[in-house]
Amino acid sequence: MSGPMWVRTSTEIRRQRRRRAHSCWDHLVVAPLWPMYGVNLGTLLRTCDAVGACLAVPRLPWVPQALRTGNTLRQRSCVHWVGDPVRWLAQQRSARSRIVGVELTDESVRLADLPVARCRTVVVLGHEREGIPAEATSLLDVAVEIPMVGTGMSLNVAVAGSLVAYKLAGLV
């Protein structure tokens, strides 16, 4: 590279971004339906804002506080509250949403091969240890895996969900 690289200032970046939070576009929904760690919810909420998605979370007693603590955004974010996760997924499927699960299965597609979301799409994220429950995997249209060359079995839920959300939003 020749010459110094120009680094944009905060003012220049702000001019290129939305001035207000997006309303519910209801196109891409990131759904960590069996959360284990509250910090992941705040991270996913920030990713949802970045890609224009909504976050769907279960009505567990600790989730509202986790979202308040983890939300570093100044604007209100789009959050959908879910009662029973499996029933909610069945309703989403009945409403013709595409259901994409982040899970290792025999039929999982590689993240690089996942097409951009062209219809309403729900990204399902499972429990940190147990993954997506069997009764929910039967509702998936496709499972996606994130290839890894290290020794770990999987990525953190927030990291995995963020990668898939960026891919489905067409931003990578």
Side-chain angles (χ1 to χ4, degrees):
M1 196 185 301
S2 62
M5 185 180 298
W6 176 257
V7 177
R8 289 182 280 169
T9 66
S10 297
T11 302
E12 291 170 325
I13 292 170
R14 269 194 297 279
R15 280 189 204 130
Q16 294 174 338
R17 304 279 166 85
R18 291 186 308 270
R19 298 207 189 280
R20 288 178 267 136
H22 66 82
S23 60
C24 180
W25 293 340
D26 206 33
H27 176 70
L28 183 59
V29 180
V30 178
L33 299 177
W34 298 273
M36 186 171 167
Y37 302 115
V39 68
N40 287 330
L41 300 180
T43 300
L44 282 168
L45 192 60
R46 190 170 183 106
T47 296
C48 287
D49 175 73
V51 302
C54 298
L55 185 70
V57 291
R59 288 192 181 275
L60 298 173
W62 59 270
V63 169
Q65 181 59 41
L67 288 174
R68 280 191 299 275
T69 301
N71 187 3
T72 59
L73 301 168
R74 291 187 176 114
Q75 305 288 340
R76 188 166 181 254
S77 300
C78 180
V79 176
H80 299 253
W81 293 95
V82 173
D84 177 80
V86 175
R87 187 176 329 141
W88 182 81
L89 279 176
Q91 291 168 344
Q92 302 309 302
R93 188 175 173 108
S94 293
R96 298 185 181 251
S97 294
R98 183 169 187 234
I99 312 295
V100 176
V102 182
E103 189 65 84
L104 298 173
T105 71
D106 290 342
E107 296 146 12
S108 293
V109 299
R110 290 171 46 95
L111 178 62
D113 298 329
L114 188 65
V116 171
R118 299 280 181 220
C119 63
R120 186 174 190 277
T121 302
V122 175
V123 179
V124 181
L125 299 158
H127 186 274
E128 291 274 4
R129 288 193 193 116
E130 286 115 38
I132 300 172
E135 62 272 17
T137 57
S138 64
L139 297 169
L140 302 178
D141 292 306
V142 65
V144 61
E145 73 172 276
I146 301 168
M148 298 175 55
V149 296
T151 59
M153 292 293 293
S154 65
L155 293 171
N156 168 288
V157 164
V159 173
S162 296
L163 289 170
V164 174
Y166 265 87
K167 179 70 171 154
L168 287 169
L171 297 176
V172 292

